[in-house]
Amino acid sequence: MTAEELAAALTDDEPPVLLDVRWALRRTRDESHERYLVGHLPGAVYVDLEAELAAPPSPLAGRHPLPAVGDLEAAARRWGVCEGSSVVVYDDVAGTSAARAWWLLRWAGVASVRLLDGGLAAWTAAGLSLEAGEVTAEPGDLVVRPGAMATVTADEAAAWPGTLLDARAAERYAGVVEPVDPRAGHIPGAVSVPTAGNVDDDGRFLPDEALRARFAGLVGAVAVYCGSGVTAAHEIAALAAIGAEAALYPGSWSAWSNDPARPVATGDRP
């Protein structure tokens, strides 16, 4: 939704729950929280991606495994999410972090979850105000019912019968660089479609026609992975915007590359 649409929705008798997912790969948790405290959308509750949108990392499960159901339910209730709530999520990195919350809440059975298109920058560009300090929500009563969004395992990704998308930067896919994980390259057979190409220079999703053109070559069922299962959710959101479904490989490259038994491909082709 646009900033203007969100501003109007926040004046409704039952406004959406507003979540600030201020996270980036090379930013510390303290820095992310401090940015939130300095200025956020009015009423937005801070979401700690590392602690609330992921389980502890491990070589087997990757850097951002899916959280335990009970932990996600407790976090969502802290955010103020109730049965029947509508939720809007945003960040300051073109939706690539907020999309993780979007995907997890959809996976948890929350029917109405939307991304603020363009995030914090779009809100301020529209001349809308921010507020400072911590927001504590009235506790919610959400019951998490997992499985509403599809996932795939490493074995399923290895033998994926349709199109497997790699949402990382092209140079990581090709194996030219690998700044985070133990091996460089990609899952054999995966196609490079970097998440960054889903948005324009202002960090807003491309028009539907452009997204359809971008994903026009997909064949069969679609699954997506990235570095650790975070930005792949943004690719799934872009596909959802044009009516296409895709499954997430939660462990993504961080889990795959830690398993010496898994083959690795390099170069700019599947």
Side-chain angles (χ1 to χ4, degrees), residues 129-220:
S129 64
L130 301 177
E131 68 177 18
E134 198 79 58
V135 172
T136 301
E138 192 72 27
D141 62 4
L142 179 70
V143 176
V144 168
R145 300 173 178 86
M149 299 286 276
T151 61
V152 299
T153 65
D155 286 343
E156 289 169 332
W160 192 248
T163 303
L164 179 63
L165 298 181
D166 185 315
R168 298 172 301 155
E171 59 269 23
R172 290 184 70 191
Y173 170 89
V176 175
V177 297
E178 181 45 65
V180 186
D181 296 313
R183 291 191 288 166
H186 60 267
I187 298 174
V191 178
S192 177
V193 184
T195 293
N198 294 331
V199 297
D200 62 19
D201 291 342
D202 294 322
R204 306 185 193 207
F205 278 101
L206 298 178
D208 288 355
E209 317 84 73
L211 288 174
R212 289 190 184 96
R214 176 168 165 76
F215 295 110
L218 303 186
V219 177

Side-chain angles (χ1 to χ4, degrees), residues 9-268:
L10 290 175
T11 67
D12 291 346
D13 292 338
E14 295 186 12
V17 176
L18 189 55
L19 304 180
D20 183 306
V21 191
R22 203 76 65 92
W23 179 90
L25 183 60
R26 292 176 180 82
R27 188 188 299 167
T28 68
R29 290 171 63 188
D30 286 346
E31 183 183 356
S32 293
H33 190 216
E34 183 58 34
R35 290 189 181 202
Y36 162 84
L37 292 174
V38 169
H40 54 78
L41 272 62
V45 176
Y46 179 71
V47 175
D48 186 332
L49 186 146
E50 298 278 355
E52 297 180 302
L53 301 182
S58 73
L60 179 64
R63 284 185 278 112
H64 294 108
L66 298 188
V69 169
D71 292 341
L72 178 60
E73 184 172 279
R77 290 181 176 190
R78 181 188 75 78
W79 307 331
V81 182
C82 296
E83 294 288 293
S85 286
S86 61
V87 182
V88 177
V89 297
Y90 75 92
D91 59 28
D92 59 357
V93 285
T96 54
S97 300
R100 172 73 170 207
W102 170 85
W103 187 94
L104 269 176
L105 286 169
R106 293 285 301 276
W107 174 81
V110 180
S112 178
V113 190
R114 301 179 74 180
L115 285 158
L116 171 58
D117 197 17
L120 185 69
W123 182 267
T124 56
L128 298 163
S129 64
L130 301 177
E131 68 177 18
E134 198 79 58
V135 172
T136 301
E138 192 72 27
D141 62 4
L142 179 70
V143 176
V144 168
R145 300 173 178 86
M149 299 286 276
T151 61
V152 299
T153 65
D155 286 343
E156 289 169 332
W160 192 248
T163 303
L164 179 63
L165 298 181
D166 185 315
R168 298 172 301 155
E171 59 269 23
R172 290 184 70 191
Y173 170 89
V176 175
V177 297
E178 181 45 65
V180 186
D181 296 313
R183 291 191 288 166
H186 60 267
I187 298 174
V191 178
S192 177
V193 184
T195 293
N198 294 331
V199 297
D200 62 19
D201 291 342
D202 294 322
R204 306 185 193 207
F205 278 101
L206 298 178
D208 288 355
E209 317 84 73
L211 288 174
R212 289 190 184 96
R214 176 168 165 76
F215 295 110
L218 303 186
V219 177
V222 179
V224 188
Y225 74 93
C226 58
S228 65
V230 173
T231 57
H234 191 276
E235 196 104 295
I236 294 172
L239 287 161
I242 56 172
E245 296 182 358
L248 173 69
Y249 169 27
S252 286
W253 188 248
S254 61
W256 185 279
S257 63
N258 265 291
D259 185 346
R262 299 287 178 190
V264 170
T266 57
D268 59 3

